[in-house]
Amino acid sequence: MSPDATPGSDRSFLFVLGSSRADGNSEILAREAAAHLPAGTPQRWVDLNDLDLPDFQDGRHETTAHRMGGVEADLLEATREATDVVIVSPLYWYTFSAQTKRYLDYWSGWLNLPDSDFKQRMAGGTLWGVTAMSHEHHVVADGLTTALRNSAAYLRMRFGGVLLGTASRPGRVRADEQALIRAKTFFEQDAPPALFAYEQAAEALA
């Protein structure tokens, strides 16, 4: 993982690429959105396919301590240091790619490390999503959006929403003019504190 960053901003973005294909439509859309960030905003891009990261093992009830490898440690540090984490995943079976889900599963492990401050470090940060899909009706991505929102709510993060685009063949997201227009201001929009659905309902009744 090598940072692609320039100084001069109090925000720092981590883009986590979870496609099984290099330079996929989701990444193209994410890079279009990133191009419109204020000059000097630090950006770090991590392609999960480039990491020798084993499948996540739930060790919460194991008697031996988890031994964190260097790749995992670097990924943990990159995640904790970013003010804004952007999950870039195509829509596979109406949810995340396998690579993306494995990365998010590691969050569970980081929460349960001895003396972990992962939840405290993530709180107040912002979670975003960028995804391309072959379906023209973006409502089919509601499952992915809900999963991200609930993850942000659990960690008391803000949630900026998901930038959606329609594409199937390589590079076709460039033909989705509406997605490219939305990309220009995607990271400028308000990112309110994430709430679970039951919290939203209670807030509406208050």
Side-chain angles (χ1 to χ4, degrees):
M1 293 183 294
S2 60
D4 175 15
T6 50
S9 173
D10 58 356
R11 298 174 71 187
S12 58
F13 281 72
L14 173 66
F15 291 84
V16 181
L17 306 178
S19 176
S20 61
R21 182 170 59 196
D23 302 316
N25 287 301
S26 298
E27 179 180 348
I28 291 171
L29 191 56
R31 290 193 180 276
E32 177 65 26
H36 296 280
L37 286 169
T41 302
Q43 301 176 28
R44 187 170 188 174
W45 294 77
V46 174
D47 189 335
L48 295 175
N49 285 311
D50 293 339
L51 305 184
D52 185 14
L53 191 69
D55 287 339
F56 172 71
Q57 299 292 323
D58 187 352
R60 285 176 295 174
H61 305 293
E62 302 293 332
T63 56
T64 57
H66 171 64
R67 295 184 178 180
M68 185 180 298
V71 171
E72 181 186 349
D74 288 346
L75 191 56
L76 167 59
E77 190 61 19
T79 303
R80 295 196 324 163
E81 290 298 319
T83 64
D84 296 73
V85 178
V86 187
I87 302 298
V88 184
S89 171
L91 189 72
Y92 289 160
W93 286 108
Y94 311 106
T95 187
F96 306 115
S97 67
Q99 295 90 328
T100 303
K101 183 59 168 61
R102 179 175 58 184
Y103 165 66
L104 293 173
D105 285 347
Y106 266 88
W107 287 20
S108 299
W110 297 337
L111 284 166
N112 292 287
L113 291 173
D115 302 317
S116 173
D117 66 347
F118 184 70
K119 191 169 186 177
Q120 292 81 1
R121 291 287 295 272
M122 298 299 287
T126 305
L127 188 63
W128 309 81
V130 179
T131 190
M133 69 192 81
S134 59
H135 209 292
E136 294 182 1
H137 297 281
H138 291 172
V139 68
V140 302
D142 282 357
L144 181 149
T145 300
T146 298
L148 281 179
R149 181 185 294 110
N150 285 346
S151 299
Y154 179 77
L155 292 173
R156 294 309 178 207
M157 300 178 71
R158 296 178 175 274
F159 181 55
V162 180
L163 175 61
L164 301 168
T166 299
S168 180
R169 295 182 64 82
R172 288 296 295 169
V173 76
R174 295 188 179 95
D176 188 341
E177 295 181 1
Q178 292 303 310
L180 297 181
I181 290 172
R182 290 191 296 270
K184 292 180 180 180
T185 58
F186 180 59
F187 292 124
E188 296 177 9
Q189 65 186 8
D190 182 46
L195 298 174
F196 291 109
Y198 67 85
E199 293 177 316
Q200 291 177 322
E203 192 175 82
L205 293 173

